[in-house]
Amino acid sequence: MKAILGGTFDPVHLGHLHAARRAQAALAIPNVTLLLAARPGHRADPLAGIDDRWQMLRLATRRTPDLLASDLEIVRPGPSYTVDSLSELRGTEPLVWLIGRDALADVPSWHRAGELATLCHFVVLDRPGHDRSVPFVPRGFEIVDKVSDLVERPCGGLFCLRNAMLDVSASEVRRIVAEGGDARALLPSDVWTYIWRRGLYRSCGGERGRAQP
Ligand code: ATP
């Protein structure tokens, strides 16, 4: 199985890395690929540009053989549609798309959402503060009780990973930085340094007393 965590990574944070590692352990696979949604078609434009988000993702994964970064959606022109990436990545091994509870409900609005269940499994990641009851199940998917059940079929399974995830979000990181606060506890240290050096996410009023790397 090949597992992918897609995201805008605006910026990549410790919650992403932790979630990817929990999934990697549960699936008993050597690595997870973090795929940058370069030009997301289904949500507001990220604050940081593609190059900055890619540099941060590279910094976060450069010493982690278990976490790989993919620029597939940077290289492919046009909107970053998950269905296109899954079609491109499809090979002999089943694909597992890792997705947070919060993002699951948006799936029906994704481009050609009806085809997703013919291309991948979903592994749903809990997010602190989000309902942990029976999840919304996108069209074509079927809940499986055990992660090992995903191996039995090529695609269309949905497994809820019950591991505790970190209460970190990119929007919280952006808010803290915009207010001149210190977000280094939520980020890989190289990413915090990059944000600070590049002046990302700063708002006009948030300069005084700004935390330094
Ligand atoms: P934002 O706060 O801007 O919405 P985000 O923190 O959700 O950003 P994304 O890049 O949009 O970051 O997330 C990519 C994927 O990772 C999504 O499926 C999201 O639900 C999931 N995810 C993000 N943070 C966590 C976390 N702390 N634990 C588990 N999954 C997460």
Side-chain angles (χ1 to χ4, degrees):
M1 278 196 289
K2 182 177 174 61
I4 303 141
L5 177 63
T8 49
F9 301 123
D10 186 26
V12 61
H13 53 66
L14 293 180
H16 294 126
L17 307 190
H18 176 87
R21 288 204 164 105
R22 296 267 55 87
Q24 182 224 346
L27 294 165
I29 52 175
N31 52 55
V32 166
T33 299
L34 278 65
L35 173 65
L36 184 79
R39 300 167 210 90
H42 66 286
R43 57 183 283 174
D45 283 345
L47 275 190
I50 296 174
D51 191 51
D52 281 327
R53 288 182 291 124
W54 174 242
Q55 293 309 328
M56 291 189 280
L57 190 56
R58 285 190 38 158
L59 287 170
T61 54
R62 67 177 166 170
R63 293 192 199 95
T64 57
D66 53 339
L67 302 177
L68 313 175
S70 171
D71 64 356
L72 188 74
E73 296 183 353
I74 300 177
V75 174
R76 192 174 67 235
S80 308
Y81 293 132
T82 301
V83 69
D84 293 334
S85 298
L86 289 168
S87 305
E88 238 179 280
L89 291 167
R90 209 170 176 207
T92 46
E93 48 182 354
L95 296 175
V96 174
W97 189 263
L98 308 176
I99 182 163
R101 263 300 163 125
D102 56 311
L104 193 60
D106 296 335
V107 170
S109 69
W110 292 9
H111 188 59
R112 289 165 39 210
E115 293 172 42
L116 296 169
T118 67
L119 293 166
C120 70
H121 297 302
F122 274 165
V123 165
V124 181
L125 313 164
D126 275 330
R127 286 198 74 169
H130 282 265
D131 187 8
R132 297 187 84 203
S133 57
V134 181
F136 166 75
V137 181
R139 185 150 60 94
F141 286 88
E142 199 181 322
I143 294 186
V144 299
D145 296 328
K146 300 190 298 296
V147 74
S148 55
D149 291 344
L150 297 178
V151 185
E152 311 289 315
R153 47 168 87 194
C155 51
L158 184 150
F159 176 75
C160 292
L161 192 62
R162 295 296 182 182
N163 292 96
M165 298 298 165
L166 298 185
D167 191 5
V168 183
S169 69
S171 29
E172 186 193 4
V173 171
R174 295 193 300 271
R175 181 188 58 74
I176 291 171
V177 177
E179 290 172 358
D182 185 346
R184 81 187 83 185
L186 312 181
L187 298 164
S189 59
D190 289 350
V191 172
W192 167 250
T193 305
Y194 185 91
I195 289 173
W196 197 86
R197 291 215 174 115
R198 295 272 299 139
L200 300 180
Y201 309 122
R202 289 183 190 176
S203 64
C204 302
E207 294 301 316
R208 203 139 36 103
R210 179 169 296 282
Q212 297 194 8

